[in-house]
Amino acid sequence: IHEVLEASAVSRASSSKLPKQGSTPSEVIQVVKKRPGLTATQIVEAVKESGHKVPEGSIRTSIFRMRDRKFIIARHGKWYPA
């Protein structure tokens, strides 16, 4: 039973660590930190302008996954660092 508890503790710890540098989630976090208060559409534009070539859907998915992991928060339709 100790192995199961240790495994769950490891998975919880790994979910709170930062995404890999250069990944779409990492780019989303960087944009939100650099320019807080953007809408999701503006974040998509900013990520694409930074030279990160991925589909809009991937960026939007990353925005909401980073919200779920509590790296960013939405207030009144705008996104801010958590």
Side-chain angles (χ1 to χ4, degrees):
I1 193 156
H2 290 294
E3 293 171 17
V4 173
L5 293 175
E6 289 173 16
S8 67
V10 168
S11 66
R12 250 183 293 138
S14 64
S15 68
S16 64
K17 70 179 185 176
L18 288 170
K20 186 182 278 190
Q21 191 69 26
S23 66
T24 303
S26 172
E27 294 291 326
V28 166
I29 292 171
Q30 286 178 2
V31 166
V32 172
K33 282 183 178 177
K34 197 179 299 180
R35 297 171 56 194
L38 296 179
T39 64
T41 302
Q42 292 170 323
I43 293 171
V44 169
E45 291 172 8
V47 170
K48 286 185 174 186
E49 285 172 8
S50 74
H52 195 68
K53 293 179 176 25
V54 293
E56 178 180 342
S58 295
I59 299 169
R60 288 183 176 276
T61 296
S62 293
I63 291 170
F64 290 96
R65 285 183 178 168
M66 293 301 95
R67 177 200 63 190
D68 293 345
R69 290 176 58 189
K70 309 218 185 314
F71 285 109
I72 60 176
I73 55 172
R75 292 285 177 255
H76 308 291
K78 302 195 182 217
W79 293 92
Y80 300 91

